[in-house]
Amino acid sequence: MSSNARPLSKKKIRQENERLILDAAEKVFAEAGFGGATMQLIADLAGLPKANLHYYFPTKESLYRQVVQTIFQDWLKAADIFDAAPGPVEGIGAYIDAKMEISRRHPAGSKVWASEVMHRAPVIQDYLETTLVEWTEDRMQVIQRWIDAGQMDPIDPRYLLYMLWATTQHYADFGHQIETLNDGKPLSNEQWEDAKNSVKAIILKGVGARPSKGT
Amino acid sequence: MSSNARPLSKKKIRQENERLILDAAEKVFAEAGFGGATMQLIADLAGLPKANLHYYFPTKESLYRQVVQTIFQDWLKAADIFDAAPGPVEGIGAYIDAKMEISRRHPAGSKVWASEVMHRAPVIQDYLETTLVEWTEDRMQVIQRWIDAGQMDPIDPRYLLYMLWATTQHYADFGHQIETLNDGKPLSNEQWEDAKNSVKAIILKGVGARPSKGT
DNA sequence: TTTCATCTTGACCATACGGTCAGGAAATGA
DNA sequence: TCATTTCCTGACCGTATGGTCAAGATGAAA
């Protein structure tokens, strides 16, 4: 029907192309690392000439920075649930659900993040020192309140958070290893459910989480 | 005393230099990734001219392969304890101890391994498919026996293993993040103890591990 | 229609990197 | 002492890569 090309507005063009480039970049950075990724590879995957990438993102580093920042936002957002919860069963449970879902839907993003941190966070160290530190302290207080209220065992909230991050992100970062151990096939729907439930069951029981009373 | 240089035997020289190169390579690969690492950087860290590296290791890839294989061996060896244990409390506990110790003492190795797997294991995929698969099946059987003997809750051993790997390696792979959240300082001895004990406490309680009876 | 800003891209450049090599030094063994 | 093997290394090379640029195409605004 509308096979005749209706001229795209400049604004749309920009949005569209930046989207294309960022998506391609995330994948390539995830699979090859910052050093191993090439602008040419990203350009090919995005279906654009290389020079065009440099029009939207002056340097490889600026493109990478943009990718990592976006991922960092998602990372933080996943924990909004945490605060609204009445107790650890709901809060921790929902957080695990959310992070497992991210690992499943956006493994590339998780890998880029892992890579960035493993390399001592060359581009987002300032974020770690400000935003992440604040964020972590807030969540630690929430957990501490649950402990004080007798809703779970007295465990240093710090190490519980690390455990939550580790167990959930593992399914993205080490997805290839898990796949190999699953006869080379990706986890099925049921397997993802099992994994999620296993993680939740072990951790919730492990911290002695007691269901909140009331409605 | 023996300040006059006694000529080094060829054999010693070879051993010594290969050691120097492998150690330097592990660090550089860990910090920069395969793509980001340069032979020049490794050479500088090892204190040798670049051409000398190529004398001992023909290509960058062969050097990298050697590094990864060595790490893989350590990885597997850490689980010998597992088999000898009479029950989950001892077995899982000792395994966590061992892997936490590795994360602490050889974080670079852990990072290289993580990086390799994240990039879909380009150089050791065959090892994953053979050795790792066998290894994993063996450990899963051990866990299953504990379950059948009523020594712990019925949990799919697969997901328990993933959890053990994830939680312990996290302290190496994300060590920089953890350090940042610790006022920029490395974990102290006591903090490492706390971390280790937290992990053990949560997981052992979480899987309902019951101390083995008898002596 | 005309003007202007934005977008597109093939061709090009400088650099850095993995890898080579030839010629010499040093240990080994007879 | 004299071959022979092993080790060492500065200089060099081809290629791949990040980045530039100038000239043109395309939509926006008047």
Side-chain angles (χ1 to χ4, degrees), chain B residues 132-150:
Chain B
L132 180 64
V133 168
E134 283 171 31
W135 184 96
T136 306
E137 279 166 4
D138 287 351
R139 301 320 125 162
M140 278 169 53
Q141 280 181 13
V142 172
I143 296 174
Q144 192 58 52
R145 270 200 291 279
W146 291 337
I147 293 173
D148 294 341

Side-chain angles (χ1 to χ4, degrees), chain A residues 114-169:
Chain A
S115 189
E116 167 69 7
V117 172
M118 278 198 334
H119 298 359
R120 315 196 64 93
V123 324
I124 43 96
Q125 178 61 22
D126 49 336
Y127 277 83
L128 290 191
E129 285 171 5
T130 56
T131 316
L132 180 64
V133 167
E134 284 172 32
W135 184 96
T136 305
E137 279 167 2
D138 288 351
R139 301 321 124 162
M140 278 170 53
Q141 280 181 12
V142 173
I143 296 174
Q144 191 59 51
R145 270 200 292 276
W146 291 338
I147 292 173
D148 294 341
Q151 294 178 285
M152 55 179 280
D153 296 345
I155 288 162
D156 190 328
R158 184 182 308 277
Y159 304 117
L160 172 56
L161 277 179
Y162 297 164
M163 188 172 227
L164 292 173
W165 296 341
T167 47
T168 53
Q169 286 177 226

Side-chain angles (χ1 to χ4, degrees), chain B residues 8 14 27 43 46-47 65 67 76 99 107 109 139 148 157 161 175 187 193-194 204 211:
Chain B
L8 247 39
R14 187 163 206 109
K27 272 183 200 144
R65 168 173 279 112
V67 169
L76 291 182
K99 291 227 74 185
R139 301 320 125 162
D148 294 341
L161 278 179
L187 296 190
E193 277 305 308
D194 290 348
L204 287 177

